[in-house]
Amino acid sequence: PGSALAAEDERTIAGERWVRTHQDQWFPRRDLVAARPSDFRGEAVEGALEVAWVVADRADLFADPREGAKRIGTRERFTRLRVLALPAAAGKGRPSAFVQVEADGTTGHVRLRDLARPSVAPPPAEVDVPRGERWIDVDLSSQTLVAYEGARPVYTTLVSTGRGAEGTDTATRKGAHRLWVKLTSSTMAGGDDDDRYSIEDVPFVQFFDGAIALHGAFWHRDFGRVHSHGCVNLAPRDAAWLFGFTSPHVPRGWAAVFPTSDEPGTLVRVR
C-alpha cells in the first residue's frame, strides 16, 4: 500500500496474469489495481479571472444569498462556475457567506465554503512584467494555481498542496523560487513508517524549491484540497500544460533539462 508501479508488460504465465514493471520485476495481477487518473483540467483565461470550481462533494444553488432561500439546484464537485459578483458585506463588516455565480446557464448563489476561487495577484519583484515574463502563482488558501504572462493571467486550475501545518515537513513552503530542473517523469518516495509511499513514473515533474515540485498526480482525485507530502499536485492534463508553458523547454526525446543563462527557470511563487 502506498506504492505505484509503472507497468511495461502484462501476460499470462502458467494460467496466472502477471505484470512486469520498469524495474524488470514481476507482480501477480491479482495484487494490483489499475490507476484511474482524474480527467479534470483547468481553464484558459481570456480577460477577467471569473472562474471558480465546486470543491465540496455537492454544492447547493440558491435563488438568494441567504440561508433558508429557495434552492434552485445542486452542482457536483469540480463543476466549473462563472463568478458574477464577489461576496458583499453582510452586516457588521462581515463578508457574505455566498457568491453569485452562473452555473450551466443558471444564475444563483453558492456558499463560499463550497468553492475554490482563484484571484489575481501582483507579480513578484523578480518578474519582468514589461516583457511579459511567464510565472506561476500558487495560493495555499484557495488551493488554486494561476499561470501568468507578466501581469496577465492566462491559465488557472486546482491544486493539492502539502497537508501539514505551516513549518512542518509535509507543508508546502511559502516563497518565490525558480525552476531548477524539469523531468518528464521521476520516481518519488518518502514518508515515515506509518505513511510510506513510492510512486514510479510521476509525470511532468518541475522542481522549484529543493525537493518541492509541481507534478502530475494520477493516484488521487483530491484537487482543490490539501493532500500531498509537500509538492504541488496537479491533475495530469494540467501538469502537461504547465510543463509546456514553463521554461526551460524540454526538447523532444529528452528526459530532463536544467535552466541556462539563455533560458532561466520559470519563477514559481507560493503564498
Side-chain angles (χ1 to χ4, degrees):
S3 296
L5 309 172
E8 283 197 338
D9 189 17
E10 184 175 347
R11 65 180 68 176
T12 300
I13 303 173
E16 184 171 3
R17 295 295 287 175
W18 292 80
V19 171
R20 181 170 63 85
T21 73
H22 281 181
Q23 309 302 320
D24 204 28
Q25 298 172 323
W26 290 89
F27 290 83
R29 184 64 176 80
R30 66 175 182 271
D31 292 342
L32 307 176
V33 61
R36 304 294 182 194
S38 171
D39 61 359
F40 173 81
R41 72 181 306 166
E43 295 284 334
V45 178
E46 296 182 4
L49 190 57
E50 298 175 333
V51 64
W53 291 276
V54 175
V55 290
D57 292 334
R58 179 176 294 179
D60 292 321
L61 188 67
F62 296 96
D64 300 300
R66 57 183 176 82
E67 296 293 346
K70 179 183 177 182
R71 190 177 70 175
I72 57 177
T74 60
R75 294 297 183 271
E76 301 298 321
R77 191 171 181 198
F78 298 131
T79 299
R80 178 192 178 281
L81 307 174
R82 179 183 172 217
V83 176
L84 300 178
L86 299 179
K92 298 183 179 179
R94 296 174 300 168
S96 169
F98 292 85
V99 179
Q100 186 182 29
V101 298
E102 180 185 40
D104 305 319
T106 301
T107 299
H109 302 266
V110 177
R111 292 185 181 94
L112 185 60
R113 67 171 184 257
D114 292 338
L115 300 180
R117 183 182 63 83
S119 57
V120 174
E126 301 93 327
V127 171
D128 189 342
V129 174
R131 292 182 57 191
E133 180 184 354
R134 293 178 172 184
W135 61 285
I136 305 295
D137 185 60
V138 178
D139 185 352
L140 298 177
S141 63
S142 65
Q143 290 294 291
T144 60
L145 175 150
V146 180
Y148 288 85
E149 292 180 350
R152 180 173 66 92
V154 296
Y155 194 86
T156 184
T157 192
L158 298 173
V159 297
S160 289
T161 64
R163 62 176 178 258
E166 186 173 356
T168 63
D169 291 341
T170 56
T172 305
R173 294 188 291 266
K174 295 179 180 179
H177 305 270
R178 290 192 177 272
L179 298 179
W180 64 268
V181 67
K182 291 173 65 172
L183 308 165
T184 55
S185 66
S186 177
T187 295
M188 292 187 170
D192 53 31
D193 291 339
D194 297 325
D195 189 25
R196 287 203 174 275
Y197 64 94
S198 177
I199 312 292
E200 295 181 357
D201 271 17
V202 176
F204 305 114
V205 180
Q206 307 186 73
F207 286 101
F208 61 92
D209 179 12
I212 296 177
L214 302 163
H215 64 74
F218 55 77
W219 53 92
H220 76 80
R221 298 167 175 242
D222 213 19
F223 308 107
R225 300 173 182 172
V226 294
H227 186 101
S228 80
H229 290 82
C231 286
V232 179
N233 288 183
L234 296 148
R237 296 168 75 184
D238 287 330
W241 189 93
L242 284 168
F243 200 77
F245 175 79
T246 59
S247 64
H249 171 69
V250 180
R252 184 181 297 274
W254 287 36
V257 67
F258 290 96
T260 65
S261 57
D262 292 332
E263 198 174 10
T266 294
L267 188 92
V268 179
R269 180 180 66 190
V270 178
R271 59 181 174 89

